[in-house]
Amino acid sequence: MRSRKAISRVLPAITVIALAVVLGTALGGCSGGSGAGGSGGTGLDAALAKVADTPVTRAQVAYDDTAALVKLSGTSLGLGDLKGFAVLRGYGASSLMELAARLTSDTGINVFSEDYAISAGNPPRMVTLLHGGQSASVVTSRLGKLGWKQDNGALAGPSPASAPEATGLYALQMHVVRADGSDVRVGLSGASASQLATPSGSTLASDPLISALAGCLGDVVAAQVQVGGQLGGRNPTAVAIGVAAPASNTDTPHAVVCVAWSSPDGATQYTADARKALAGGKSLATDRPYTDYLKSGSVKNIGGSQNIVQWQADTPRRADQVFQMYLNRDLPALPGCTLPAVARSGVIGCP
């Protein structure tokens, strides 16, 4: 089974302790509804409209259209049931997927019954919205039995370090919880109850860069966006990756990647690099041609005010191929370039 990591490429599996970025304002959500909607009409647009637009929230975003994925591949967690698009279920709530085996019976939270999930920010103060499909009364009751206490309209758990073994992981991954109607919002061990308040003001759906990247991705069942930081290659402004919505669980997965640059020249250079990499480049992580993993690749310089370049390719080996490549800093023409100059000179995308 694919390890469900939190939304930074450098995170270990269950501890989720890297990249301690302070998350100021957090997520809000309305009860009920479905994944579709929002200013751009996609599930991702609708989810972004629930996240306050701050420098820290836009740094990292992960999303999945859970309802669509469950419809395609069911809810089983057995190793034999992770075929097709099943590996993408709960990608927007990856910290909770680590606990999925007993999550519902212990806490009342059911990831597979949500409409969609979206996480924003970096650990340890990352927050997650599970939109729809939950029961506030059940979640409140069960967490209360585990030691969660009322705190400014939310529930605050015990210290992960001092909590009993049976609840320690819950206290780490969902230290603060706000259950409201059919929505549940959770924060990691460094989050506070105030971070789970309904956002006021602008949201990520109206942020020029984030909304442009979401528009470039289109209708996707899972997505990740990173703005700033170490993105590989010639240092783009932002990278967004996603898997296009399939019609069935046996469809060939189709990856969409959108890369924003600070200038038109940067976009032009990356367009040429990406075409070269997709046609005959080699993965630094596996020492194998990208064409072993990415089929029928195409590149388009969309441009616009965010200087976005889009590439697409089929990933017949696995539905989460593009996410694995992102985590390994192995996207075409965006490799990790911390290599000696002699070795870096022959790598497509390295300056």
Side-chain angles (χ1 to χ4, degrees):
M1 177 179 178
R2 177 175 67 89
S3 177
R4 297 276 188 169
K5 294 178 173 57
I7 61 176
S8 168
R9 68 179 68 211
V10 297
L11 300 181
I14 194 73
T15 54
V16 199
I17 57 174
L19 293 176
V21 177
V22 175
L23 186 61
T25 310
L27 302 178
C30 302
S31 300
S34 65
S39 59
T42 69
L44 177 57
D45 292 315
L48 291 170
K50 308 299 184 190
V51 186
D53 184 16
T54 73
V56 288
T57 55
R58 78 176 71 102
Q60 288 266 17
V61 177
Y63 158 84
D64 81 285
D65 186 344
T66 318
L69 290 165
V70 166
K71 185 176 181 179
L72 289 170
S73 53
T75 60
S76 176
L77 290 171
L79 292 178
D81 300 309
L82 296 179
K83 299 176 182 178
F85 297 87
V87 295
L88 299 176
R89 297 170 303 178
Y91 189 81
S94 56
S95 61
L96 297 184
M97 288 303 295
E98 296 281 3
L99 311 170
R102 293 187 53 85
L103 182 67
T104 303
S105 59
D106 288 347
T107 72
I109 295 174
N110 189 339
V111 174
F112 288 157
S113 70
E114 70 200 15
D115 296 325
Y116 62 76
I118 185 167
S119 295
N122 289 310
R125 302 186 71 185
M126 183 180 77
V127 290
T128 299
L129 165 66
L130 282 65
H131 185 275
Q134 314 303 312
S135 169
S137 60
V138 172
V139 171
T140 300
S141 174
R142 294 188 183 177
L143 285 178
K145 293 177 181 178
L146 293 176
W148 269 246
K149 306 293 185 183
Q150 290 289 338
D151 179 16
N152 295 321
L155 298 167
S159 167
S162 60
E165 183 177 357
T167 60
L169 289 179
Y170 294 130
L172 178 69
Q173 303 291 64
M174 42 188 289
H175 184 63
V176 288
V177 178
R178 185 182 295 270
D180 180 16
S182 62
D183 292 351
V184 170
R185 282 161 276 169
V186 304
L188 296 185
S189 59
S192 66
S194 63
Q195 291 177 253
L196 302 186
T198 301
S200 59
S202 299
T203 68
L204 291 182
S206 59
D207 179 86
L209 176 57
I210 299 295
S211 62
L213 290 168
C216 174
L217 289 179
D219 187 14
V220 291
V221 289
Q224 178 145 350
V225 180
Q226 181 179 345
V227 177
Q230 297 299 316
L231 294 171
R234 301 177 191 273
N235 298 317
T237 303
V239 172
I241 59 177
V243 175
S248 75
N249 202 41
T250 58
D251 280 6
T252 299
H254 187 76
V256 184
V257 176
C258 301
V259 185
W261 297 87
S262 60
S263 70
D265 288 345
T268 298
Q269 178 67 62
Y270 178 70
T271 300
D273 288 344
R275 285 174 176 157
K276 186 177 180 181
L278 285 169
K282 184 177 287 189
S283 160
L284 284 180
T286 65
D287 198 36
R288 298 176 66 175
Y290 281 120
T291 51
D292 283 1
Y293 311 98
L294 305 172
K295 307 292 186 180
S296 304
S298 63
V299 183
K300 181 179 181 181
N301 189 340
I302 295 175
S305 61
Q306 306 301 327
N307 303 303
I308 291 176
V309 178
Q310 177 203 73
W311 64 260
Q312 303 186 42
D314 291 339
T315 62
R317 285 175 174 261
R318 52 193 297 173
D320 63 343
Q321 184 75 63
V322 70
F323 295 102
Q324 292 299 312
M325 297 177 83
Y326 167 83
L327 288 169
N328 293 331
R329 195 167 295 173
D330 192 38
L331 292 171
L334 288 178
C337 294
T338 55
L339 301 168
V342 174
R344 192 170 63 241
S345 63
V347 178
I348 299 172
C350 287

